[in-house]
Amino acid sequence: SDPVFLITGASSGIGAATARQAVHAGYRVVLAARSRDRLDALAAELGGSERALAVTCDVTEWEQQQALVAQTLDVYGRLDVAFANAGFGAPRGFLEGDPAQWREMVLTNVYGAALTLRATIPALRERRGHLLLTGSVAGRKAMPGSLYSATKWAVTAMSEAVRQDLNESGVRVTLLSPGAVETPFWDNGAPLPHPLTDDDIADAVMYAVTRPKHVDVNEILIRPTEQPV
Ligand code: NJP
């Protein structure tokens, strides 16, 4: 049977672009996010239940992440690649940020990603599979006043910590660290004239997963050519 590629944050942007490319490359995909309608539309576009399974999942809820993996194994019988990609950036910094939004952001970007690792690793180990995370350039370089940046530093650290946990089990770990990508992440349009596209990041994901099994691409950092920091 064809290998299975699970993606959180699959309802738009980088996650949706990756799902399209993964199906094109011969994977069956599991699409996870909170927006049922958008997941259903994408699953239909990708060929329906033979190729794409839409699962409603809030990544901040452990039971929902467990159910996501359980449903994946029930329906498709295996899990080969998991992409912990769901996340968002609360606007404004330490001077005027909204604590309620901060709570959601920390839970989504940090705790949610950790739960995805926790839920998927047992099945990935069985397949000697591949784990990917979406960090950020902001997870390598602190951005002024940005708690978002701090959440992505946590993702960077998590990727290296889990890699060391997993390297003996044959599971590969890749961190994607993008600069500005034109997606709904930016409410009012990306802040650069020539941002990356969601497919630029999906290309990098597919590069990492299609290397030979002895090659573990640990991090891919990509900026739009004109992005200074
Ligand atoms: O943004 P967007 P991106 N549970 O808004 C989902 C990082 N990044 O593709 O739940 C489950 O199109 C949400 O789905 P829904 C960024 O930090 C971006 O740009 O239906 N899912 C949607 O599918 C993030 O980690 C840029 O609302 C949840 C998806 O997440 C990743 O790239 C730069 C959720 C967000 O898709 C993908 O973002 C960079 C939850 N609780 C890093 N909350 C950039 N765009 O410039 C949200 O360095 N989602």
Side-chain angles (χ1 to χ4, degrees):
S1 64
D2 287 332
V4 175
F5 196 135
L6 179 152
I7 302 166
T8 69
S11 64
S12 75
I14 293 165
T18 302
R20 291 187 176 94
Q21 290 204 20
V23 167
H24 189 72
Y27 286 91
R28 295 177 289 171
V29 291
V30 179
L31 311 170
R34 294 164 303 177
S35 307
R36 183 82 228 172
D37 291 353
R38 282 190 281 156
L39 292 180
D40 284 342
L42 181 58
E45 174 199 322
L46 295 177
S49 57
E50 297 280 295
R51 303 311 307 171
L53 176 67
V55 182
T56 313
C57 174
D58 180 337
V59 294
T60 68
E61 297 291 341
W62 174 230
E63 292 74 18
Q64 295 184 32
Q65 294 242 29
Q66 288 177 288
L68 168 67
V69 174
Q71 205 179 331
T72 300
L73 297 176
D74 268 2
V75 176
Y76 286 157
R78 59 190 279 184
L79 178 62
D80 299 86
V81 183
F83 186 16
N85 166 72
F88 76 98
R92 301 189 298 277
F94 294 109
L95 300 182
E96 47 188 1
D98 172 1
Q101 268 187 333
W102 280 3
R103 182 186 165 82
E104 278 314 300
M105 179 175 67
V106 171
L107 283 173
T108 305
N109 297 5
V110 183
Y111 182 62
L115 293 182
T116 301
L117 309 192
R118 181 73 176 77
T120 59
I121 282 171
L124 291 175
R125 285 173 71 119
E126 270 183 42
R127 305 288 325 164
R128 301 176 76 79
H130 200 139
L131 185 62
L132 303 104
L133 302 97
T134 303
S136 176
V137 163
R140 280 298 186 191
K141 194 171 168 24
M143 298 291 163
S146 168
L147 182 63
Y148 172 74
S149 183
T151 69
K152 292 300 188 176
W153 277 65
V155 173
T156 299
M158 228 187 298
S159 77
E160 178 57 14
V162 77
R163 186 189 70 75
Q164 292 177 29
D165 263 355
L166 288 176
N167 60 1
E168 282 177 8
S169 68
V171 176
R172 299 185 288 177
V173 178
T174 303
L175 174 68
L176 283 303
S177 299
V181 188
E182 180 88 71
T183 71
F185 178 93
W186 303 98
D187 275 346
N188 306 309
L192 285 171
H194 304 292
L196 300 167
T197 68
D198 48 19
D199 269 316
D200 293 328
I201 307 306
D203 287 344
V205 170
M206 297 314 296
Y207 172 81
V209 301
T210 55
R211 289 317 85 204
K213 284 287 187 193
H214 70 286
V215 179
D216 191 1
V217 178
N218 295 139
E219 180 173 8
I220 305 181
L221 189 152
I222 310 179
R223 288 186 180 84
T225 304
E226 295 169 25
Q227 180 170 328
V229 284

